[in-house]
Amino acid sequence: MEHLAQILMLLGVAVAVVVTFQRLHVPTSLGYLLVGVILGPHTIGPTINVPEFKTLAEFGVVFLLFTIGLNYSLPQLHALRHQVLGLGTAQVVFTTAVVGVLVWLAGVPAAAAFVIGAVFAQSSSTIIGSQLTEQGEENSPHGRLGLAMSVFQDVTAVPFLVVIPVLGMAAGADVLAGALGWAITKAVVAFALVFFAGRWLLRPLFHLVATRRSAEVFTLAVLLVALLAAWTTSSLGLSLAFGAFLAGMMLGETEFRHQVESTIRPFRDVLLGLFFVGIGMLIDPAAIPHIWHWSLLGALLILASKSLLVAAMVRKSGIATSTAWRTGLLLAVGGEFGFALLAIALDSNVIDARLGQITLTAVLFSMIAGSFLIRFNHAIATRLAGTQRGEAQGIPDTILNASEPQVLIGGYGRVGHTIAVLLKTSGVPFVAFDTDLKRVAQARADGHQVLYGDISDPELLTAVHVERASLVVLTVDNFTTALRAVSFLRSSCPHVPVIARARDLEASSRLLDAGAAHAYPEAIEASLRLGATALQMLRVPANDIDLIVQGVRDWDYKPVLEGEQDK
């Protein structure tokens, strides 16, 4: 209870600042940075001093990398191996080399210049991922490529964790080579552990959990898997986030992917906010007047070097010019992993305190400016590439697997299966969700795109980008579930038409009132179909039958309802 007042103060300031930034359409990550400055130790006023704050905030990055891993399963990474692994590694190597040489020519010692180059080479997966999600661009060609490259920067930067401490002591090349080999071995062991555990244990585990149909147990299972994988890699001397990413990759191959993402999203968003608050607390406004010009120059070096190098490399690989520029603008932002490298360098006396403060402030400046580059990446890239608005941009969908379903089906019982068969026969792409594991397994065995998930879960609908669907068909037999789904869809994306199945006239009326375009009561529709067949056998003209039946529907089944009330 001794820290309750500080926690309440943190929440109050965060709500006020973030709401203001959202109303001004400014990236919320900058709002959290400002909260950190306001409540940090370097400014006048109240200061947050909760011992567990830093540790708790780190899990924001862990859950973000876990979510990113869900969208990059091994088959997708295999398809992206040339772009992501090759380009990601080349970006880190070339940026470190170019920046390091420029800083060394400016008079900085070679070891310190190498550290600065390594720090500047990092890009914030946190800022890129959260802002792309906020802008709805995480599944775009540039979004997927840029985010994948930023994630693999953490992998390719692992050797820096070994090299930088060695630079602080007079060690020979054999010691350096041995340390590097040990770090790579640990990374391989971590991948193998998570890979085999994921293949043998994760799918059976989530099948068992899903059969309980308990949201509480499902949430606990997701948290257990993410944190256990993070602990595994941390025990091997690697980052927590690396393990979470590997676990996300394994789950990304299962039918539970979207439901897992919707479950972890609330934890991720809150803890990410705390992470940015922690970064803001590092800013010392009193030191900025003395070093701002050097820090600003460093920030420009970060933004220019990475945007130009990445755009050139991506374009060289055969990807469209506009997408190359947009990817470069995404990766231009500085990265929080650079703070970890800088802290190691300061502890190892590879870089002095003043140069460290300049580097820290330069990265923070680049994070602020880079957020705006990400926000306006389309407009900037259009000018730089000289492309027209309607020009096709990006990597082919067959490579990135980024195509969106046109129809979303909620429920895969008898009605949902029938609709899916009709859509597939007509060549209309769709994705269906159901909470019955047997139905999901059978549908996937039949070759249909059916996943496990609750169609009334707002987080699930957000994760699958329901706003991009051309139609939503609700076939669930649970009226409450259907009503919740319709209400959310009408409030969040009213442009998407919704048709629903209803048990009776009352349910149909309530679904229509909630915003469904059509809601067909099963019993009445069966009666109408039977009546139409009777009229057809009595040789009533087909056009007349269609007019009669459609008239009943157009009057919201009132003629039928009045008949029931007279009884």
Side-chain angles (χ1 to χ4, degrees):
M1 295 296 292
E2 58 180 318
H3 300 300
L4 181 58
Q6 295 186 57
I7 294 173
L8 292 174
M9 180 172 57
L10 170 63
L11 293 174
V13 175
V15 169
V17 172
V18 171
V19 168
T20 302
F21 273 51
Q22 287 180 340
R23 295 188 65 177
L24 296 174
H25 301 288
V26 177
T28 54
S29 55
L30 299 183
Y32 286 116
L33 287 174
L34 179 59
V35 173
V37 173
I38 296 173
L39 300 178
H42 303 295
T43 54
I44 299 174
T47 301
I48 297 297
N49 186 24
V50 179
E52 297 82 6
F53 178 86
K54 182 178 180 181
T55 301
L56 190 62
E58 288 180 1
F59 284 99
V61 180
V62 170
F63 288 138
L64 175 70
L65 269 293
F66 178 73
T67 306
I68 292 171
L70 291 171
N71 295 307
Y72 291 95
S73 61
L74 284 177
Q76 289 174 314
L77 288 177
H78 183 265
L80 283 167
R81 62 190 181 279
H82 298 300
Q83 289 93 342
V84 174
L85 299 181
L87 292 174
T89 303
Q91 183 267 315
V92 172
V93 171
F94 282 117
T95 303
T96 302
V98 170
V99 172
V101 169
L102 290 175
V103 174
W104 175 68
L105 291 175
V108 175
F114 174 81
V115 170
I116 293 174
V119 171
F120 283 11
Q122 307 308 309
S123 301
S124 175
S125 301
T126 309
I127 290 179
I128 295 172
S130 61
Q131 199 160 332
L132 285 175
T133 300
E134 185 179 326
Q135 297 170 199
E137 297 180 20
E138 71 271 28
N139 283 319
S140 62
H142 64 280
R144 291 182 67 84
L145 180 58
L147 194 53
M149 288 178 64
S150 70
V151 168
F152 272 85
Q153 284 179 358
D154 293 345
V155 180
T156 56
V158 167
F160 290 139
L161 299 176
V162 180
V163 173
I164 292 175
V166 174
L167 293 177
M169 56 184 179
D174 55 339
V175 176
L176 178 60
L180 282 173
W182 179 234
I184 294 172
T185 301
K186 290 191 292 185
V188 172
V189 170
F191 178 81
L193 285 174
V194 176
F195 176 80
F196 288 111
R199 284 298 175 91
W200 292 339
L201 300 178
L202 286 187
R203 192 184 294 270
L205 170 65
F206 278 91
H207 268 279
L208 176 64
V209 170
T211 56
R212 307 305 304 168
R213 296 198 178 190
S214 170
E216 178 182 358
V217 176
F218 196 91
T219 300
L220 291 174
V222 172
L223 292 174
L224 172 65
V225 168
L227 296 179
L228 182 60
W231 174 81
T232 300
T233 53
S234 178
S235 300
L236 293 172
L238 304 172
S239 68
L240 290 166
F242 182 50
F245 174 72
L246 293 178
M249 284 174 54
M250 297 300 104
L251 281 172
E253 298 183 41
T254 71
E255 61 270 30
F256 303 101
R257 190 190 92 187
H258 291 295
Q259 189 65 42
V260 169
E261 183 178 0
S262 68
T263 299
I264 206 71
R265 187 187 297 269
F267 298 95
R268 182 199 69 186
D269 292 345
V270 172
L271 294 176
L272 267 181
L274 293 181
F275 174 79
F276 281 115
V277 171
I279 296 297
M281 289 180 176
L282 297 176
I283 301 176
D284 183 3
I288 293 178
H290 306 290
I291 62 172
W292 69 270
H293 50 295
W294 292 113
S295 297
L296 184 60
L297 188 61
L300 292 174
L301 180 58
I302 294 174
L303 298 173
S305 62
K306 288 199 289 187
S307 59
L308 292 174
L309 285 173
V310 171
M313 289 187 296
V314 172
R315 185 69 189 94
K316 185 72 173 177
S317 68
I319 294 172
T321 303
S322 179
T323 299
W325 277 113
R326 296 182 78 171
T327 306
L329 293 170
L330 297 186
L331 291 169
V333 65
E336 59 274 353
F337 197 80
F339 295 132
L341 298 181
L342 184 60
I344 294 173
L346 289 170
D347 291 339
S348 305
N349 296 318
V350 180
I351 189 171
D352 61 66
R354 183 173 182 274
L355 193 56
Q357 185 64 34
I358 292 174
T359 306
L360 170 65
T361 309
V363 174
L364 289 172
F365 282 173
S366 75
M367 294 173 81
I368 295 173
S371 296
F372 288 98
L373 292 182
I374 298 173
R375 172 72 70 184
F376 303 107
N377 71 84
H378 181 231
I380 298 173
T382 300
R383 284 183 172 274
L384 292 173
T387 56
Q388 298 299 318
R389 191 176 188 84
E391 180 182 346
Q393 303 175 22
I395 310 167
D397 290 341
T398 54
I399 296 178
L400 289 183
N401 193 26
S403 59
E404 296 295 332
Q406 292 184 349
V407 177
L408 186 64
I409 302 175
Y412 198 75
R414 170 177 48 83
V415 180
H417 172 73
T418 301
I419 293 174
V421 170
L422 294 175
L423 292 175
K424 187 172 184 178
T425 303
S426 302
V428 178
F430 69 90
V431 62
F433 288 93
D434 200 286
T435 56
D436 189 312
L437 272 176
K438 292 182 179 179
R439 290 178 184 170
V440 173
Q442 183 59 51
R444 292 173 69 84
D446 294 339
H448 288 177
Q449 184 73 3
V450 182
L451 304 173
Y452 176 85
D454 180 2
I455 195 62
S456 66
D457 184 353
E459 296 294 345
L460 175 66
L461 292 171
T462 301
V464 298
H465 299 286
V466 68
E467 72 278 0
R468 300 179 186 176
S470 59
L471 176 66
V472 175
V473 183
L474 299 175
T475 67
V476 290
D477 57 1
N478 187 305
F479 170 71
T480 303
T481 299
L483 188 62
R484 282 202 308 263
V486 172
S487 300
F488 174 78
L489 290 168
R490 287 285 63 80
S491 61
S492 62
C493 45
H495 61 283
V496 178
V498 179
I499 58 176
R501 162 196 182 189
R503 283 184 174 271
D504 50 37
L505 287 172
E506 181 183 357
S508 174
S509 298
R510 292 184 62 183
L511 289 170
L512 290 171
D513 292 340
H518 299 285
Y520 296 101
E522 288 183 311
I524 304 302
E525 281 294 324
S527 301
L528 287 176
R529 187 61 186 166
L530 183 62
T533 302
L535 292 175
Q536 186 178 11
M537 294 180 69
L538 294 172
R539 289 181 169 74
V540 175
N543 289 339
D544 293 346
I545 296 175
D546 292 340
L547 288 174
I548 293 170
V549 173
Q550 191 59 44
V552 174
R553 292 176 179 148
D554 291 342
W555 281 87
D556 294 333
Y557 304 97
K558 286 181 181 179
V560 180
L561 184 61
E562 290 170 357
E564 288 186 349
Q565 291 174 343
D566 291 340
K567 292 182 179 180

